[in-house]
Amino acid sequence: MIQDEGLASRAAVLEEIAAEVRQCTLCDLHRGRTHAVPGEGPPDARVMFIGEGPGREEDEQGRPFVGPAGRYLNALLQRAGLVREEVFITNIVKCRPPGNREPTPTEVEACRSYLDGQIACLRPHIICLLGRPATATLLDPSATMGKIHGSPISKDGFTYIPMYHPAAALHNQRLAPVLTEDFTRLGLLLRRLLAEE
Ligand code: URA
């Protein structure tokens, strides 16, 4: 019962953040949006995925990772023994950058409190950082994906795993087996953490 109340209040906090995101005018990205994309997933998600920013289809639907990179992410989740409905998926910026360009530091900074709020609310076992911008924002601005992808890194009480962005593997087939292996390792780590709970 107490656990249920905790979950309900976490769900309420996540919905509050989402409502704020949908009204947000803190940076210029709001001018071009069809829909803001706060992120989605259950309040008891053990794993969180953080991408770069919504693309065209995400902007149209108001949901994260629903375009080609999202379909690929769904397949990768299976490699980790996960299904989309049990993980929380969001981005470092919640509105689509024009032409899918990388978000600017000002845009990332303006959006930061929403992301921090989501992380603090969920307190996930593992936070997967999809791509260099998410890795630079949450872990290390000078990180090189080729060097740090796939390995867990502890920081501020959280376990982060930087990974190549699924869209990168759609453009460069050589990254596909790397992502597959990293998601397989994610599944192993998660099962180990759950066994220790
Ligand atoms: N790429 C991202 O980084 N995020 C999305 O939501 C979709 C594609």
Side-chain angles (χ1 to χ4, degrees):
M1 184 65 195
I2 288 182
Q3 212 177 3
D4 286 350
E5 279 170 26
L7 264 192
S9 80
R10 268 197 259 173
V13 170
L14 289 173
E15 191 37 54
E16 252 171 60
I17 295 171
E20 276 182 50
V21 166
R22 291 188 192 103
Q23 307 264 322
C24 182
T25 56
L26 287 177
C27 83
D28 280 346
L29 291 182
H30 81 278
R31 296 183 196 285
R33 76 180 172 220
T34 311
H35 294 104
V37 183
E40 65 186 23
D44 59 351
R46 295 331 207 291
V47 187
M48 182 175 191
F49 289 87
I50 303 176
E52 181 175 329
R56 185 177 55 80
E57 290 178 62
E58 288 77 21
D59 173 71
E60 279 167 12
Q61 297 186 39
R63 298 183 56 211
F65 281 92
V66 289
R71 287 187 282 279
Y72 187 30
L73 176 62
N74 292 346
L76 288 165
L77 287 172
Q78 283 186 12
R79 289 289 179 161
L82 291 164
V83 290
R84 191 179 163 107
E85 290 70 26
E86 68 183 309
V87 302
F88 195 91
I89 305 177
T90 190
N91 287 298
I92 51 171
V93 296
K94 316 298 195 200
C95 295
R96 183 190 184 196
N100 297 343
R101 65 155 169 75
E102 203 173 296
T104 65
T106 309
E107 291 158 356
V108 172
E109 186 52 36
C111 224
R112 182 67 194 251
S113 66
Y114 301 127
L115 182 59
D116 286 345
Q118 290 169 322
I119 294 172
C121 175
L122 288 163
R123 299 205 60 80
H125 286 18
I126 301 175
I127 301 176
C128 294
L129 303 169
L130 300 176
R132 202 202 49 79
T135 302
T137 299
L138 283 147
L139 216 48
D140 177 3
S142 62
T144 309
M145 292 310 292
K147 288 200 183 132
I148 65 165
H149 73 88
S151 297
I153 298 171
S154 298
K155 187 184 169 203
D156 304 332
F158 290 103
T159 299
Y160 294 92
I161 305 184
M163 296 194 179
Y164 284 106
H165 195 289
L170 292 177
H171 293 119
N172 178 357
Q173 274 302 310
R174 274 179 303 181
L175 294 179
V178 180
L179 260 178
T180 299
E181 191 186 329
D182 287 353
F183 271 75
T184 305
R185 286 176 69 191
L186 162 66
L188 292 174
L189 175 64
L190 182 61
R191 281 190 283 284
R192 213 175 65 216
L193 292 178
L194 291 177
E196 285 167 8
E197 255 186 358

